[in-house]
């Protein structure tokens, strides 16, 4: 484990990168994006002090699904996948912290999904326009 500082605007990792390291934010804030710097860029969330990011790529041994960018300057602790057992042996409470972190993200995504479904249903119910039906079906897919 080591502490690293990323200045404002610096990329911590890119979507598609190999995921053999994850991070815990010590202080500052980082933004999590899909399609970063592309026309269809979407900011998914911010990660702040105490939160983890990048852990799923390490756990699942998959490429990164997002790009993470330092928003304000951010200090992070870097935790390598190879030292994961040692990290958890020395700090077993971190297992619960990571599980809680993942659970919070799943809950947030579920809430956003429910809200989006509700908005689509409202549009569908109030729409007499056939072109909106096609649009709604595309979004639902």
């Amino acid at each position: 484990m080591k502490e690293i500082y990323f200045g404002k605007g610096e990329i911590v990792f890119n979507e598609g990168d190999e995921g053999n390291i994850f991070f815990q934010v010590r202080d500052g804030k980082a933004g999590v994006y899909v399609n970063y710097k592309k026309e269809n860029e979407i900011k998914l969330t911010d990660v702040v002090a105490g939160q983890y990011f990048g852990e799923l790529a390490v756990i699942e041994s998959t490429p990164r699904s997002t790009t993470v960018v330092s928003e304000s300057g951010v200090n992070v602790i870097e935790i390598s996948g190879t030292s994961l057992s040692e990290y958890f042996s020395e700090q077993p409470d971190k297992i619960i912290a990571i599980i809680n972190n993942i659970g919070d993200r799943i809950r947030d995504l579920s809430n956003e999904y429910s809200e989006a479904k509700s908005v689509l249903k409202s549009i569908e119910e109030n729409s007499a326009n056939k072109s909106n039906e096609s649009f709604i079906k595309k979004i639902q897919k």
Side-chain angles (χ1 to χ4, degrees), residues 105-121 139-141:
R105 274 192 265 156
I106 291 170
R107 189 173 22 269
D108 289 346
L109 287 170
S110 295
N111 289 339
E112 288 173 11
Y113 176 74
S114 293
E115 185 178 326
K117 273 183 70 176
S118 177
V119 169
L120 285 173
K121 184 176 181 180
I139 291 174
Q140 287 172 336
K141 285 183 184 179

Side-chain angles (χ1 to χ4, degrees), residues 37-92:
K37 295 284 187 183
K38 297 179 183 170
E39 185 178 322
N40 55 344
E41 174 184 298
I42 298 171
K43 184 175 185 181
L44 299 176
T45 193
D46 287 315
V47 285
V48 295
Q51 294 182 315
Y52 293 86
F53 64 93
E55 73 283 357
L56 289 178
V58 175
I59 292 167
E60 296 178 335
S61 297
T62 58
R64 305 281 187 196
S65 60
T66 60
T67 296
V68 175
V69 181
S70 173
E71 299 280 313
S72 62
V74 64
N75 282 308
V76 297
I77 297 173
E78 177 184 88
I79 304 144
S80 74
T82 56
S83 66
L84 200 55
S85 292
E86 179 184 331
Y87 177 73
F88 288 143
S89 292
E90 292 174 3
Q91 303 178 69

